[in-house]
Amino acid sequence: MNSSLPVIRVENLTKFYGNTVGVNDVSFDVEQGEIFGFLGPNGAGKTTIIRLLLDLLKPDKGNISIFGKSLYGNSKEIRKLCGYLPGEFQAYKHLTGYEYLNLFTDLRKSDAGDTSLLLESFDLKPKDLKRKSSQYSRGMMQKLGIVQALMHNPKLIILDEPTSGLDPLMQEVFYELIFKKLSEGTTILFSSHNLPEVEKLCHRLAIIRQGEIVSVESIDSLKAKVGHIMELTLSQPYPKLTISGAELIPIDTGTVNENHYVFQIKGEINKVLQKVSELSVVDITISRPSLENVFMKFYKND
Amino acid sequence: MNLLSYFGMVWKTNKAFALFTMGLLIAMQLLILNLVRSFDTQVMMESFLTQLPKNMQLFLKESFFSTLTLDGAAAFGYNHPMVIALIIVNAINIPVRHISRELESGTLELLLSHPVKRHSFMFMLWGSGILMLLLITVSAFLGSVLGIYFFHELSITIVSRVLEISLNMWLFSILVLSYTILISSKAKGGSLAGNLSAMIAFVFYIVFLISQLWDSSAFVLPYNIFYYYEPQQIMLGRGHAGLDSLVLTGLSGLCFGLSVLFFNRRDIP
């Protein structure tokens, strides 16, 4: 493994499903020891990229290198180093939890690794694991899925909606585990609709829209692009302000509070404050945008 | 992953129906042999046969009335439409469950995200299917041998013929398994793969029956898979075990080879 190379390098990846675009001309790098997130609405192409990375889908164009090796021809070797949790994880219904985990340990020709520790962390008891997985609740099934993805200490972990079905307590356990893996130098690729979770975990994000990556940036840099968010309550209706060097873009929050306004500030904040001070302000809050604001910026027209 | 651990999983998933088939095959062999022993139908049936058209006489004589001897009855269990249907359903069920349905449920996606080459997976599935069908065949063999032992006289000749019939049945069921794997390796959904595979078997069976009854369509017989499944002929010492085995094995190999080729190239799911 060459440490100067990115763990994942995707170049001009294109995949069509018949005439429908799955992903189009996608390129990005994921560095070692980072948590890289995919953000996008349903059908944007997140899962398609993940499946292409695991050689489950065959691309129409483009290249993928993982750990410095081309995926094509080295797929088995690369997958030895990966752990994968698919979205909507399903286990074999006729197998017990133990049988299921043993099957995958056997499949990897690996030892039990971190299995006991993981089972303990996720509160999966021996009596649970002796039951057939068809009797598992959604949350238990998801915990089993996370254990199978992490139990062999993979160098690259690919997670598609990992916390769906987990209660808040288990979500915290999962986050701790992810940070522990990160401290050990593991690289994590992460796809989620859960914006606070993405904000909490990811170092960098790829914003995917209609099969194309529209932006790959750190969360801070994405937020900076949106600017600041100003919530303003006035004693009278808002008179449209013209500010040189700045712009106030109204955000529809859906609230019916009279004379309460939310704006995205673009440009120089001082000039905005100067102009706003001339109004009869009842209350004002200026904050950094949330990831939700960023998300809405990219997808509001979809 | 080795074949045995994957077979364990296949067995757990399919054991209920496989055990039912095995039990039924054993029971049926014993029942048929006991039934044929208990009354002499030969004379009665011969007089009935003379009233039928010539083609029908030949067909019934070979496919049914020849079984009214105890030796023939041992072969009849292998040729009964219900037994053939059960064998075919078992052979179809395995690939449809472990390729098509698993593609739908996402379990195959996860399995193939592990360090397993696709052709290795296909070999494990094929091997597991062959082992499952072997267990079913062995149960039919045991049923026959036990039936002959209890209700007739066990001889080396008859045991070797039952063994030959069992091999013929096994190879036939492997062909059904193999062409179902081929269909499943291309098909998008479990229902499509299952229905198409069953329809192929059904069409072959109907065409086979018609070709036996209707002289002008007899030329298609060698192109029919049921032509190479001939338990009664083998029992009567008129079988072509070598040719049957060659054709069934060759076709199975071809279907499996193509399925590996298609499966290697397909998208999951």
Side-chain angles (χ1 to χ4, degrees), chain B residues 10-22:
Chain B
V10 171
W11 169 253
K12 280 199 171 94
T13 312
N14 299 283
K15 71 178 173 194
F17 191 59
L19 285 171
F20 167 74
T21 306
M22 288 157 78

Side-chain angles (χ1 to χ4, degrees), chain B residues 213-235:
Chain B
L213 288 169
W214 190 25
D215 276 346
S216 17
S217 65
F219 72 96
V220 297
L221 277 170
Y223 305 104
N224 196 308
I225 56 171
F226 284 93
Y227 182 71
Y228 303 98
Y229 179 56
E230 43 178 9
Q232 243 111 17
Q233 301 288 356
I234 293 170
M235 186 52 96

Side-chain angles (χ1 to χ4, degrees), chain A residues 115-139:
Chain A
T115 311
S116 315
L117 197 70
L118 287 165
L119 292 174
E120 202 179 308
S121 303
F122 282 110
D123 200 25
L124 282 167
K125 297 186 172 68
K127 71 174 168 65
D128 297 327
L129 293 165
K130 283 176 189 164
R131 279 163 45 205
K132 283 190 177 170
S133 67
S134 55
Q135 298 165 10
Y136 283 16
S137 66
R138 178 79 191 88

Side-chain angles (χ1 to χ4, degrees), chain A residues 121-123 137-140 142-143 146 162-175 197:
Chain A
S121 303
F122 282 110
D123 200 25
S137 66
R138 178 79 191 88
M140 275 182 70
Q142 194 69 5
K143 289 192 265 183
I146 294 171
T163 55
S164 72
L166 292 186
D167 61 49
L169 215 67
M170 284 299 130
Q171 284 184 16
E172 279 308 315
V173 172
F174 171 74
Y175 298 148
E197 181 174 277

Side-chain angles (χ1 to χ4, degrees), chain A residues 15 56 58 79 84 106-107, chain B residues 1 5 109 112 267-268:
Chain A
K15 172 73 187 169
L56 295 167
K58 307 290 175 190
R79 277 180 283 156
Y84 173 49
D106 195 20
L107 201 72
Chain B
M1 187 187 204
S5 53
E109 177 189 342
L112 293 174
D267 285 337
I268 307 286

Side-chain angles (χ1 to χ4, degrees), chain B residues 47-62:
Chain B
S47 67
F48 169 72
L49 265 183
T50 52
Q51 295 171 39
L52 297 172
K54 205 178 170 187
N55 275 353
M56 190 71 91
Q57 277 184 33
L58 196 69
F59 171 66
L60 286 178
K61 208 169 184 175
E62 288 200 347

